[in-house]
């Protein structure tokens, strides 16, 4: 076993994301809760994950399912009590599982006492916690920015006769990070949870906290973009001028005093920002969630552009994943993810959720977990859970879906059937249908009426079935996670793309040059067929070996004989992970 200089523990960790509302309901009210999570920790232990990212469970009016926080130090009653939280954390730690909380501090809820006070008068002590602007001379809103959930980002406040900024819903007023009192209050919230034993934070849209102020204290208009789909507000507020400064201050004031994992959600982050923010010495965060690979199958790019569908070109995926692998190699660190509570299910989006559901879900897991970075498994991904296609818009709960449907059909005259097709492909509720535990009523998620309907395929796709079937997606993910723990090449090896122009085969190597001599101590090959065809292709000579020249580490089909150099054929959606002998 090659011994490497000591590295942060989160570089060889695998993180599992729990969306609490949909994970497990313990008291029959149809809403997942903390005791429900505690009751399922053995499932996570069996899978082998090291960390849980828990989406928000703080007090909230639930306008955006908890991403609108009204008290950062209290647990929302529908999720349980602080005692339930302490018990869950203790049970996680007893199993060697760490916990990342979701830190949502670009904005809070309009029902937070800070905003309730701030909106009363312009000289209220909390007024400067938020971003207020007067209307333009012609009475129109201060800027032309559109909110992520549609409409203007500016909401009128009668009591003070001015607008306040909300990049998301009007019930999510943006916090004013220029105000050191706000930054100090956030640092105190972080210490509160870290002192309870929490192990880190996922930071919600953290790259939006520094707004692009003009010297005169105004905010600039954004260039009006084609068809209004793109979010001019997002384009301007992501990666603002003081972002690194604010995050370095957070690192010095808080994070450096604890042993934490942090991941910053960074829409529209560029490679430059990725390197800047995750540089071990001069950066601020362990890693980022960047979105380039999430915007390849839509015409308009991030946020509302995601609804204009276009097929994924594998070469685009190769280009963006390779850019980030190369840019952060020994410079920073990647997160690795294909889904979360905002994204559709990967087997439906990038694989084949019909005849080849299990095989293609395993291929996607192999493709992702073979790369350099910290992999994230979203609840149900380890089961190969699929998108859902509710017939009626009434069956959807997500504020983003509901608002987009209304605007697209009522204001922009789009055909409802076309809009439903986009919702079926990209709607966030695809990932939020309740976790499918077994084939009993409501998949064992609740004994009551679920807050969001289940995917009707739960009798066939559920954890009980997957754990019992050695060939399931679950056991494949278990093996992937175990391989990462056992082989430093998967954590530290250099990634190199092969066959860049092939439109169906994604192949890459990982080379561990542990001693810096340049000799390859160990080289692995990951080769994936992103299609239902059986393309014949050649691998570059330096990687091809007869099967007897390599070790078969993992695959989603039975191992097969035959040369891995000339005229290689992969079966539909096949993935292979091979150790090439030096
Ligand atoms: O999402 C931020 C973000 O970029 C969203 O616009 C998301 O990518 C989009 O909805 C996908 O279409 C974070 C949280 O993950 C999301 O759940 C919240 O709604 C949002 O911030 C506001 O807190
Ligand atoms: Ca409940």
């Amino acid at each position: 076993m090659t011994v490497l200089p000591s590295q942060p523990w989160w570089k060889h960790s695998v993180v599992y994301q729990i969306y609490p509302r949909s994970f497990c309901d313990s008291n029959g009210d149809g809403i997942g809760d903390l005791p429900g999570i505690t009751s399922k920790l053995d499932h996570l232990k069996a899978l082998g994950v090291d960390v849980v990212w828990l989406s928000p469970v703080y007090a909230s009016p639930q306008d955006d399912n908890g991403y609108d926080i009204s008290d950062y130090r209290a647990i929302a009653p529908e999720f349980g009590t602080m005692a339930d939280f302490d018990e869950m954390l203790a049970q996680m730690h007893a199993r060697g599982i760490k916990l990342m909380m979701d830190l949502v501090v670009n904005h809070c809820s309009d029902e937070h006492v800070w905003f309730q006070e701030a909106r009363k008068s312009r000289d209220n002590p909390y007024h400067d916690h938020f971003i207020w602007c007067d209307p333009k001379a012609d009475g129109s809103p201060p800027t032309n920015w559109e909110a992520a959930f549609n409409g203007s980002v500016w909401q009128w406040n009668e009591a003070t006769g001015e607008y306040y900024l909300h990049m998301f819903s009007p019930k999510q007023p943006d916090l004013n990070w220029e105000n050191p009192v706000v930054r100090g209050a956030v640092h105190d919230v972080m210490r509160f949870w870290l002192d309870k034993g929490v192990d880190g934070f996922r930071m919600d849209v953290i790259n939006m906290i520094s707004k692009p102020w003009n010297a005169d204290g105004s905010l600039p208009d954004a260039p009006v973009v084609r068809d209004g789909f793109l979010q001019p507000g997002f384009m301007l507020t992501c990666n603002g001028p003081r972002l690194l400064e604010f995050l370095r201050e957070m690192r010095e004031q808080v994070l450096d005093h604890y042993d934490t994992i942090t991941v910053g959600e960074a829409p529209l982050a560029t490679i430059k920002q990725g390197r800047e923010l995750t540089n071990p010495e001069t950066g601020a965060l362990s890693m980022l969630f960047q979105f380039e690979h999430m915007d390849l199958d839509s015409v308009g790019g991030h946020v509302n552009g995601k609804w204009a569908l276009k097929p994924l070109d594998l070469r685009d995926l190769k280009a963006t994943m390779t850019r980030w692998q190369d840019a952060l190699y020994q410079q920073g660190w990647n997160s690795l993810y294909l889904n979360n509570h905002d994204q559709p299910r990967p087997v439906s989006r990038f694989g084949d959720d019909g005849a080849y559901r299990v095989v293609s879900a395993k291929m996607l897991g192999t493709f992702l977990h073979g790369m350099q970075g910290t992999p994230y498994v979203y609840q149900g991904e380890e089961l190969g859970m699929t998108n859902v296609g509710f017939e009626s818009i009434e069956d959807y709960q997500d504020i983003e879906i509901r608002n987009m449907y209304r605007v697209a059909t009522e204001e922009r005259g789009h055909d409802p059937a076309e809009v439903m097709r986009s919702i079926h492909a990209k709607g966030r509720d695809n990932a939020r249908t309740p976790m499918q535990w077994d084939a009993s009523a409501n998949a064992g998620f609740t004994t009551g009426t679920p807050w969001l309907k289940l995917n009707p395929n739960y009798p066939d796709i559920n954890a009980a079935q997957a754990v019992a079937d050695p060939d399931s997606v679950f056991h494949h993910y278990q093996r992937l996670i175990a391989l990462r723990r056992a082989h430093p090449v998967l954590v530290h090896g250099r990634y190199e793309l092969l066959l860049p122009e092939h439109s169906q085969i994604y192949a890459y190597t990982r080379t561990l040059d542990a001693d810096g001599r340049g000799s390859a101590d160990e080289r692995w090959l990951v080769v994936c067929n992103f299609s239902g065809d059986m393309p014949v292709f050649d691998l570059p000579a330096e990687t091809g070996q007869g099967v007897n020249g390599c070790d078969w580490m993992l695959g989603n089909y039975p191992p097969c004989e035959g040369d891995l150099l000339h005229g290689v054929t992969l079966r539909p959606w096949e993935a292979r992970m091979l150790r090439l002998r030096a």
Side-chain angles (χ1 to χ4, degrees):
M1 160 82 93
T2 309
V3 180
L4 287 164
S6 72
Q7 294 280 334
W9 50 268
W10 37 263
K11 285 197 170 180
H12 48 74
S13 296
V14 175
V15 182
Y16 187 93
Q17 182 193 356
I18 290 177
Y19 192 69
R21 198 173 189 81
S22 305
F23 193 66
C24 181
D25 168 25
S26 70
N27 63 352
D29 66 359
I31 299 173
D33 47 53
L34 298 178
I37 293 171
T38 303
S39 74
K40 295 294 184 183
L41 291 179
D42 288 336
H43 173 75
L44 305 189
K45 187 65 188 164
L47 183 57
V49 297
D50 308 283
V51 186
V52 163
W53 155 24
L54 179 60
S55 278
V57 292
Y58 317 96
S60 163
Q62 305 295 334
D63 184 58
D64 184 16
N65 287 358
Y67 283 90
D68 50 317
I69 296 167
S70 54
D71 184 344
Y72 287 96
R73 290 178 172 79
I75 300 295
E78 55 264 60
F79 293 132
T81 64
M82 189 58 87
D84 292 328
F85 174 85
D86 294 338
E87 172 63 10
M88 177 193 73
L89 180 58
Q91 291 296 334
M92 284 178 177
H93 284 169
R95 290 168 176 77
I97 296 173
K98 294 178 184 290
L99 175 63
M100 294 167 88
M101 294 288 271
D102 206 322
L103 188 70
V104 187
V105 288
N106 171 69
H107 48 272
C108 63
S109 165
D110 66 344
E111 298 183 26
H112 195 292
V113 63
W114 293 343
F115 191 74
Q116 290 300 308
E117 284 300 311
R119 72 183 318 171
K120 286 177 181 171
S121 74
R122 293 193 182 214
D123 53 14
N124 183 288
Y126 288 99
H127 189 265
D128 199 25
H129 272 52
F130 299 91
I131 295 169
W132 306 89
C133 282
D134 293 324
K136 283 183 177 150
D138 64 3
S140 63
T143 64
N144 64 350
W145 303 358
E146 280 192 25
F149 300 150
N150 298 105
S152 167
V153 296
W154 298 103
Q155 181 74 17
W156 184 252
N157 184 56
E158 199 53 48
T160 57
E162 59 193 335
Y163 285 99
Y164 68 84
L165 177 70
H166 62 87
M167 295 307 295
F168 293 90
S169 93
K171 287 185 67 61
Q172 294 170 291
D174 279 55
L175 287 163
N176 173 16
W177 274 74
E178 306 295 323
N179 180 349
V181 175
V182 168
R183 303 202 299 270
V186 169
H187 299 160
D188 289 343
V189 164
M190 295 172 74
R191 291 188 196 100
F192 173 83
W193 292 102
L194 292 168
D195 290 341
K196 287 178 73 67
V198 163
D199 303 286
F201 297 100
R202 176 267 186 181
M203 300 185 189
D204 190 62
V205 286
I206 198 66
N207 69 329
M208 295 177 72
I209 60 178
S210 166
K211 303 319 190 214
W213 294 101
N214 292 322
D216 66 0
S218 67
L219 287 167
D221 264 342
V224 177
V225 290
R226 182 177 39 76
D227 77 20
F229 245 139
L230 274 179
Q231 292 305 319
F234 255 72
M235 310 295 275
L236 277 181
T237 50
C238 290
N239 312 308
R242 298 183 69 187
L243 177 62
L244 182 59
E245 175 198 338
F246 291 158
L247 293 180
R248 291 282 308 168
E249 180 189 57
M250 178 191 280
R251 176 172 174 175
E252 284 143 22
Q253 292 295 318
V254 183
L255 297 170
D256 277 348
H257 303 278
Y258 302 83
D259 179 13
T260 61
I261 176 175
T262 51
V263 57
E265 187 201 27
L268 302 179
T270 62
I271 294 271
K272 176 176 173 295
Q273 277 121 22
R275 294 177 80 165
E276 215 173 57
L277 293 175
T278 67
N279 179 296
E281 282 72 44
T282 59
L285 303 174
S286 312
M287 63 195 90
L288 294 185
F289 286 139
Q290 56 86 13
F291 282 71
E292 276 187 25
H293 62 308
M294 290 283 108
D295 290 340
L296 298 173
D297 55 354
S298 62
V299 173
H302 196 60
V303 192
N304 280 359
K306 71 179 189 179
W307 306 108
L309 308 177
K310 78 175 184 189
L312 172 76
D313 182 332
L314 185 66
R315 289 163 296 193
D316 293 343
L317 183 65
K318 292 182 185 182
T320 187
M321 298 304 281
T322 301
R323 243 195 335 272
W324 282 87
Q325 289 285 305
D326 291 349
L328 296 187
Y329 179 63
Q330 298 184 338
Q331 305 278 332
W333 197 251
N334 278 298
S335 68
L336 301 170
Y337 75 98
L338 289 177
N339 63 161
N340 56 40
H341 63 292
D342 292 331
Q343 299 294 337
R345 294 280 180 183
V347 71
S348 301
R349 182 179 191 179
F350 302 119
D352 170 343
D353 62 8
Y356 289 101
R357 179 182 66 83
V358 171
V359 169
S360 64
K362 290 177 178 178
M363 182 280 287
L364 292 168
T366 308
F367 151 76
L368 191 75
H369 285 245
M371 291 195 175
Q372 182 170 57
T374 298
Y376 286 71
V377 180
Y378 177 67
Q379 67 183 46
E381 176 186 344
E382 81 278 17
L383 308 181
M385 278 177 64
T386 70
N387 280 356
V388 70
F390 293 137
E391 286 303 307
S392 161
I393 187 63
E394 297 311 317
D395 289 332
Y396 287 94
Q397 300 300 326
D398 176 23
I399 184 173
E400 182 182 68
I401 290 174
R402 304 293 291 256
N403 286 4
M404 184 283 274
Y405 183 86
R406 175 177 45 75
V407 167
T409 53
E410 294 170 18
E411 295 176 18
R412 295 186 179 161
H414 287 276
D415 167 12
E418 174 211 333
V419 175
M420 288 306 283
R421 256 194 308 280
S422 286
I423 290 170
H424 288 166
K426 292 295 190 67
R428 301 192 302 180
D429 279 347
N430 278 310
R432 301 175 180 186
T433 59
M435 181 71 173
Q436 297 167 193
W437 292 107
D438 56 43
S440 70
N442 290 318
F445 164 72
T446 179
T447 55
T449 305
W451 71 278
L452 174 68
K453 282 183 180 174
L454 277 93
N455 191 315
N457 62 20
Y458 72 82
D460 304 315
I461 302 174
N462 60 70
Q465 177 281 328
V467 170
D469 171 3
D471 289 334
S472 66
V473 180
F474 176 87
H475 289 293
H476 191 82
Y477 267 67
Q478 200 180 45
R479 287 191 284 272
L480 279 170
I481 295 167
L483 280 173
R484 173 170 293 269
R485 186 168 289 117
H487 299 281
V489 65
L490 289 181
V491 178
H492 302 290
R494 183 168 28 81
Y495 161 105
E496 284 176 90
L497 179 69
L498 308 176
L499 310 177
E501 286 313 307
H502 204 291
S503 62
Q504 293 175 312
I505 300 298
Y506 197 129
Y508 61 85
T509 56
R510 299 289 311 278
T511 304
L512 187 62
D513 164 15
D515 55 16
R517 287 195 311 267
S519 67
D521 273 8
E522 192 167 348
R523 171 168 291 168
W524 287 36
L525 168 68
V526 178
V527 55
C528 299
N529 181 2
F530 270 73
S531 81
D533 300 335
M534 294 179 64
V536 179
F537 56 98
D538 293 337
L539 281 168
E542 70 275 18
T543 55
Q545 313 266 330
V547 165
N548 56 11
C550 64
D551 302 318
W552 184 282
M553 306 309 286
L554 184 68
N556 59 353
Y557 280 87
C560 66
E561 292 307 307
D563 187 339
L564 254 181
L565 189 58
H566 300 299
V568 181
T569 302
L570 289 187
R571 290 158 282 191
W573 304 101
E574 180 168 9
R576 296 180 190 173
M577 194 178 256
L578 306 170
R579 176 168 55 196
L580 306 179
R581 292 204 196 110

